[in-house]
Amino acid sequence: MHKPPGPDGLPNWLLRDFSTHLAGPVCAIYNARRICSVSLERGKRRKVPKVHPLRAIEADLRPISLTATLGKVLESFLGAWILQRVSSRLNDRQYGAVKQRSTTHALVDMLHHWHAAVDKGQSVRTVFVDFTKAFDHVDHNVLVSKLVALGLPDVIVRWICSFLRYRRQRVKIGDILSDWLQLAAGMPQGSYLGPLTFVILIDSQICQPYDDD
C-alpha cells in the first residue's frame, strides 16, 4: 500500500478499498487481454543514480521499471501459471526466481559440495562470475524460442512478446530528464516476469521442443 502507483497514477489503496466493486471488471479486462495477447501496460523505465553524487554515467545509473499495479497483478497470475508448467524442466540447481527456493539454498548447496570434496581429500576451486547488466542484454528472440521449446500455449508466448515490445527508457539526474529511447533488448527487473523469464533464458537444459508424450 505504501508503494507509489505506476504510470497510470492509480493509487494502490483504491484497488484495495474498492476491490469488491472492481474485481468483476478487472477480471473481464484480464481475460480479454489474455485472449488477444496484449499486455495491460508495457510500462516505462528510468535510470536513476545509484550513488550521490553521480561519478560515472556508465556505472552509477540503476534502471527502474515503472509498471501499473494492475499490470503487476496480471503478471503475477501469468508468472505463477508459467512457473507451475515449466518448473520441472528447469535445472535442479537453479535457486533464483523459483518458488520455495532462495539464495540460502544456493549457499547450502555450494557448502555441501565443498565440504564433501574436502572430506575426500580433494581441493576446492571456485570461480565467481558477475555478468554486467545481464538483464539489459537479454535477447528477445532467444527468449521467445525457449518459451516455444517449453511448449507454452501460443497465446501466452504472444502475450510475452507484447510485454517485451515497445518499451522505452530515459535517464533522470536530479530534476533533469533525457529524451525517451526505444529499447531493442533487455528485460525489466522490477516485474514478476523479469526474473522468471531470465532464468528460462539462461537454462542450458531448455533447448529441445517440448513433447507432450
Side-chain angles (χ1 to χ4, degrees):
M1 289 303 102
H2 302 291
K3 293 184 178 180
D8 59 357
L10 189 65
N12 295 328
W13 63 262
L14 182 68
L15 300 175
R16 178 195 62 187
D17 294 348
F18 295 91
S19 59
T20 55
H21 302 284
L22 296 174
V26 170
C27 180
I29 293 174
Y30 283 174
N31 288 330
R33 293 293 181 176
R34 182 179 181 276
I35 292 173
C36 63
S37 304
V38 178
S39 59
L40 259 178
E41 173 60 62
R42 294 187 179 89
K44 298 178 180 179
R45 182 167 163 174
R46 292 181 181 175
K47 285 196 172 183
V48 297
K50 295 181 183 178
V51 296
H52 298 278
L54 183 67
R55 295 189 296 268
I57 293 179
E58 295 82 1
D60 293 340
L61 289 175
R62 178 179 66 248
I64 300 294
S65 295
L66 302 176
T67 306
T69 301
L70 288 177
K72 292 179 181 178
V73 174
L74 178 57
E75 287 177 40
S76 67
F77 290 155
L78 289 174
W81 187 89
I82 293 172
L83 181 59
Q84 181 181 13
R85 179 165 180 119
V86 307
S87 58
S88 62
R89 301 197 65 197
L90 296 177
N91 193 305
D92 291 337
R93 300 182 67 182
Q94 174 58 251
Y95 299 101
V98 179
K99 189 176 181 180
Q100 297 181 340
R101 297 188 186 184
S102 66
T103 53
T104 300
H105 294 93
L107 292 173
V108 170
D109 181 67
M110 287 190 297
L111 288 173
H112 169 72
H113 285 85
W114 295 347
H115 290 164
V118 172
D119 290 340
K120 296 177 182 178
Q122 301 172 348
S123 62
V124 176
R125 297 177 176 85
T126 61
V127 177
F128 295 91
V129 179
D130 181 12
F131 292 97
T132 303
K133 299 186 181 301
F135 275 77
D136 293 339
H137 294 90
V138 170
D139 188 306
H140 294 170
N141 292 326
V142 175
L143 173 59
V144 171
S145 66
K146 289 208 169 189
L147 294 175
V148 173
L150 283 170
L152 293 177
D154 290 343
V155 64
I156 299 298
V157 175
R158 290 196 300 269
W159 195 96
I160 297 294
C161 291
S162 176
F163 175 78
L164 294 173
R165 295 176 61 194
Y166 305 121
R167 285 189 171 272
R168 300 182 299 162
Q169 82 172 23
R170 63 179 176 180
V171 177
K172 179 181 181 182
I173 301 179
D175 295 330
I176 302 175
L177 292 171
S178 70
D179 295 332
W180 286 105
L181 176 67
Q182 193 80 30
L183 298 178
M187 173 62 66
Q189 290 179 255
S191 65
Y192 187 99
L193 290 175
L196 175 59
T197 50
F198 183 77
V199 165
I200 293 174
L201 173 75
I202 64 176
D203 196 315
S204 59
Q205 296 183 165
I206 306 173
C207 57
Q208 299 296 326
Y210 183 79
D211 187 356
D212 287 330
D213 297 328

